[in-house]
Amino acid sequence: MSQPKSTAKTYLRIGEIAARSGVSAKALRLYEQRGLLKPCTHSEAGYRLYGPEALRRLMQIVVLKRGGFTLAEIAGLLSSASQVIATLLDERIQGLQRELADKKTALATLQAVSERLGSASTLDLDQLLESIHMSHTAKLDLSASERDLVRQRAEQIGKDNIQALCAALPNLIAQMRAAMASGKPATDASVVELARQYRALSPALPDLDKDTKQRLIGSLNARPDVMAEHGLDASLLAYLREALEAAKAS
């Protein structure tokens, strides 16, 4: 059947659909071979032409594939696809709502911990214990790529450098804390020199991208127990970062 000239604008060729829908022409041909999709008509030159009906079917196929169904399963579902799609979308919406609620809870927890970090000395025992519990249960997992980056950094630094860092770090941190307590700015030459010593212990340390750095810093800020194990706290960590930036710039 050839395409009616008066309705030519209502049809698209396979390449046009592929370019505009993100579904490859190869996939479209596969769907046709499997009997899942068929052109609405053909042009006078024999090209496949697809109209609204075919595009609605393609949308059903795409949604079902995103839902994890195989093409064989989709073939059996298409007769009731509208209801199936509605159910899948409802489930996904509910899942996203749960994720959003979890993220809001995590955000509120981190904000509360962050506020308490700056006033830990004024909290009573119950408040301190509650803060530790909040910090311990907060969702701060790094992504797989970020964990890989941390492992790569450790490999690049090298075992000897890591051991040297662990041995020298307590003394460096003690000197840094004393400088901060005395009122010296992080940009003071003596403080910057301490930062250079810290930096020199890990010469292979690559720079992190801004987003990953902020996530790592945020994770550390929200774990006062981890910082305490290394003699750090939020204010000293910020002081050290400022000194490192000054060392890098000088």
Side-chain angles (χ1 to χ4, degrees):
M1 180 174 65
S2 63
Q3 172 197 8
K5 294 182 180 179
S6 61
T7 59
K9 63 182 180 181
T10 67
Y11 293 94
L12 296 174
R13 288 170 57 172
I14 193 169
E16 294 174 304
I17 293 178
R20 295 170 61 178
S21 71
V23 180
S24 70
K26 181 179 179 181
L28 292 170
R29 294 189 184 96
L30 176 61
Y31 300 158
E32 183 177 346
Q33 292 172 6
R34 296 292 185 90
L36 304 178
L37 182 70
K38 62 181 180 180
C40 297
T41 186
H42 292 79
S43 70
E44 293 180 355
Y47 291 110
R48 298 176 179 84
L49 297 174
Y50 301 83
E53 181 180 350
L55 293 181
R56 282 192 291 271
R57 175 55 62 90
L58 177 60
M59 183 170 62
Q60 293 173 341
I61 295 170
V62 169
V63 171
L64 290 169
K65 277 186 60 65
R66 292 295 300 273
F69 293 98
T70 66
L71 294 184
E73 291 171 330
I74 290 173
L77 290 169
L78 284 176
S79 60
S80 59
S82 295
Q83 183 57 43
V84 171
I85 291 171
T87 300
L88 288 172
L89 291 178
D90 285 344
E91 290 176 353
R92 184 55 182 148
I93 288 170
Q94 292 173 17
L96 289 172
Q97 288 174 333
R98 287 192 296 271
E99 291 177 20
L100 180 60
D102 288 343
K103 289 182 184 297
K104 286 182 177 179
T105 300
L107 175 60
T109 299
L110 294 181
Q111 288 173 330
V113 170
S114 178
E115 291 171 0
R116 292 184 176 192
L117 280 174
S119 58
S121 61
T122 65
L123 301 179
D124 60 31
L125 291 178
D126 287 339
Q127 291 172 321
L128 286 168
L129 288 172
E130 182 185 358
S131 297
I132 292 171
H133 177 73
M134 291 169 64
S135 303
H136 183 65
T137 59
K139 295 181 178 180
L140 296 168
D141 292 338
L142 298 176
S143 67
S145 61
E146 288 168 336
R147 287 194 297 272
D148 287 341
L149 178 58
V150 171
R151 283 192 288 267
Q152 291 170 16
R153 284 162 61 86
E155 292 174 358
Q156 289 173 328
I157 294 171
K159 183 177 179 180
D160 291 342
N161 276 329
I162 290 177
Q163 291 176 340
L165 176 62
C166 291
L169 190 59
N171 183 50
L172 279 174
I173 288 178
Q175 293 182 65
M176 190 74 68
R177 186 178 294 281
M180 184 177 70
S182 70
K184 287 184 180 179
T187 53
D188 184 89
S190 62
V191 180
V192 172
E193 178 57 31
L194 290 174
R196 288 198 184 96
Q197 293 176 33
Y198 175 89
R199 185 72 176 178
L201 291 171
S202 51
L205 193 65
D207 287 332
L208 288 169
D209 64 84
K210 183 178 179 180
D211 290 341
T212 301
K213 182 184 292 184
Q214 289 304 315
R215 279 177 61 86
L216 289 170
I217 291 172
S219 296
L220 188 57
N221 278 336
R223 292 298 303 272
D225 54 327
V226 174
M227 285 197 289
E229 289 176 5
H230 299 284
L232 292 169
D233 55 44
S235 58
L236 183 58
L237 184 62
Y239 187 76
L240 174 58
R241 288 203 308 271
E242 186 179 351
L244 286 168
E245 290 298 323
K248 187 188 298 184
S250 61

